[in-house]
Tab-separated table of all heavy atoms in Angstrom:
chain	number	residue	atom	x	y	z
A	1214	PRO	N	110.511	114.041	96.413
A	1214	PRO	CA	111.368	113.125	95.712
A	1214	PRO	C	112.226	112.329	96.697
A	1214	PRO	O	112.510	112.670	97.853
A	1214	PRO	CB	112.241	114.059	94.861
A	1214	PRO	CG	111.437	115.262	94.656
A	1214	PRO	CD	110.773	115.440	95.981
A	1215	TYR	N	112.852	111.225	96.200
A	1215	TYR	CA	113.590	110.301	97.000
A	1215	TYR	C	114.770	110.792	97.742
A	1215	TYR	O	115.139	110.364	98.840
A	1215	TYR	CB	114.014	109.046	96.194
A	1215	TYR	CG	115.261	109.224	95.398
A	1215	TYR	CD1	116.463	108.884	95.961
A	1215	TYR	CD2	115.288	109.830	94.117
A	1215	TYR	CE1	117.659	109.094	95.256
A	1215	TYR	CE2	116.432	109.992	93.464
A	1215	TYR	CZ	117.631	109.607	94.033
A	1215	TYR	OH	118.820	109.792	93.354
A	1246	GLU	N	126.746	122.176	122.966
A	1246	GLU	CA	127.254	121.286	123.986
A	1246	GLU	C	126.953	119.803	123.580
A	1246	GLU	O	125.933	119.495	122.915
A	1246	GLU	CB	126.582	121.538	125.360
A	1246	GLU	CG	126.850	122.963	125.909
A	1246	GLU	CD	128.336	123.210	126.120
A	1246	GLU	OE1	129.003	122.261	126.598
A	1246	GLU	OE2	128.751	124.352	125.866
A	1252	LYS	N	125.077	105.004	130.601
A	1252	LYS	CA	126.018	103.924	130.521
A	1252	LYS	C	125.473	102.719	131.285
A	1252	LYS	O	124.524	102.790	131.945
A	1252	LYS	CB	127.356	104.329	131.223
A	1252	LYS	CG	128.046	105.515	130.485
A	1252	LYS	CD	129.319	105.948	131.195
A	1252	LYS	CE	129.963	107.068	130.518
A	1252	LYS	NZ	131.184	107.545	131.279
A	1289	CYS	N	100.282	102.737	94.765
A	1289	CYS	CA	100.999	102.922	96.062
A	1289	CYS	C	102.220	103.817	96.011
A	1289	CYS	O	102.851	103.935	97.060
A	1289	CYS	CB	101.408	101.540	96.527
A	1289	CYS	SG	100.031	100.417	96.968
A	1294	ALA	N	102.710	102.360	101.422
A	1294	ALA	CA	101.493	101.596	101.226
A	1294	ALA	C	101.716	100.276	100.517
A	1294	ALA	O	100.902	99.414	100.480
A	1294	ALA	CB	100.451	102.392	100.420
A	1306	ASN	N	85.090	92.442	99.377
A	1306	ASN	CA	84.564	91.829	98.149
A	1306	ASN	C	84.565	92.793	96.968
A	1306	ASN	O	83.571	93.137	96.368
A	1306	ASN	CB	83.153	91.327	98.365
A	1306	ASN	CG	82.634	90.558	97.200
A	1306	ASN	OD1	83.378	89.865	96.447
A	1306	ASN	ND2	81.285	90.566	97.067
A	1329	HIS	N	101.486	112.646	91.013
A	1329	HIS	CA	101.609	112.436	89.606
A	1329	HIS	C	100.446	111.422	89.194
A	1329	HIS	O	100.670	110.272	89.047
A	1329	HIS	CB	102.980	111.816	89.196
A	1329	HIS	CG	104.101	112.688	89.600
A	1329	HIS	ND1	104.504	113.748	88.844
A	1329	HIS	CD2	104.982	112.594	90.636
A	1329	HIS	CE1	105.501	114.350	89.471
A	1329	HIS	NE2	105.892	113.676	90.602
A	1366	ASP	N	89.998	115.858	94.022
A	1366	ASP	CA	90.970	116.248	95.034
A	1366	ASP	C	90.363	116.233	96.437
A	1366	ASP	O	89.231	115.798	96.704
A	1366	ASP	CB	91.475	117.653	94.654
A	1366	ASP	CG	90.422	118.812	94.926
A	1366	ASP	OD1	89.361	118.567	95.488
A	1366	ASP	OD2	90.726	119.904	94.473
A	1402	TYR	N	79.883	125.355	97.804
A	1402	TYR	CA	79.224	124.045	98.025
A	1402	TYR	C	78.693	124.013	99.539
A	1402	TYR	O	77.536	123.593	99.826
A	1402	TYR	CB	80.140	122.916	97.741
A	1402	TYR	CG	79.568	121.541	98.165
A	1402	TYR	CD1	78.857	120.767	97.182
A	1402	TYR	CD2	79.692	120.963	99.374
A	1402	TYR	CE1	78.380	119.549	97.436
A	1402	TYR	CE2	79.243	119.735	99.732
A	1402	TYR	CZ	78.526	119.018	98.724
A	1402	TYR	OH	78.019	117.759	99.011
A	1406	HIS	N	74.758	123.784	100.969
A	1406	HIS	CA	74.332	122.595	101.658
A	1406	HIS	C	74.330	122.739	103.113
A	1406	HIS	O	74.217	121.753	103.906
A	1406	HIS	CB	75.196	121.433	101.251
A	1406	HIS	CG	75.062	121.011	99.842
A	1406	HIS	ND1	75.812	121.532	98.804
A	1406	HIS	CD2	74.205	120.077	99.264
A	1406	HIS	CE1	75.438	120.985	97.718
A	1406	HIS	NE2	74.498	120.097	97.878
A	1420	VAL	N	95.384	122.091	110.791
A	1420	VAL	CA	94.013	121.534	110.619
A	1420	VAL	C	93.599	120.845	111.818
A	1420	VAL	O	92.414	121.008	112.324
A	1420	VAL	CB	93.993	120.686	109.375
A	1420	VAL	CG1	92.620	119.877	109.268
A	1420	VAL	CG2	94.181	121.435	108.114
A	1524	ALA	N	104.658	130.931	102.263
A	1524	ALA	CA	105.957	130.224	102.351
A	1524	ALA	C	105.703	128.814	102.638
A	1524	ALA	O	104.994	128.437	103.669
A	1524	ALA	CB	106.810	130.861	103.428
A	1529	ALA	N	111.917	124.705	100.005
A	1529	ALA	CA	112.401	126.103	99.762
A	1529	ALA	C	111.733	126.764	98.686
A	1529	ALA	O	112.185	127.069	97.560
A	1529	ALA	CB	113.930	126.004	99.457
A	1536	GLU	N	92.901	132.122	92.200
A	1536	GLU	CA	91.614	131.511	91.669
A	1536	GLU	C	90.775	132.630	91.018
A	1536	GLU	O	90.835	133.779	91.491
A	1536	GLU	CB	90.772	130.937	92.821
A	1536	GLU	CG	91.296	129.584	93.380
A	1536	GLU	CD	90.506	129.178	94.579
A	1536	GLU	OE1	89.756	130.033	95.191
A	1536	GLU	OE2	90.735	127.993	94.997
Side-chain angles (χ1 to χ4, degrees):
Y1215 83 92
E1246 299 298 321
K1252 296 178 181 179
C1289 292
N1306 187 28
H1329 301 281
D1366 70 11
Y1402 175 90
H1406 293 87
V1420 171
E1536 288 175 345

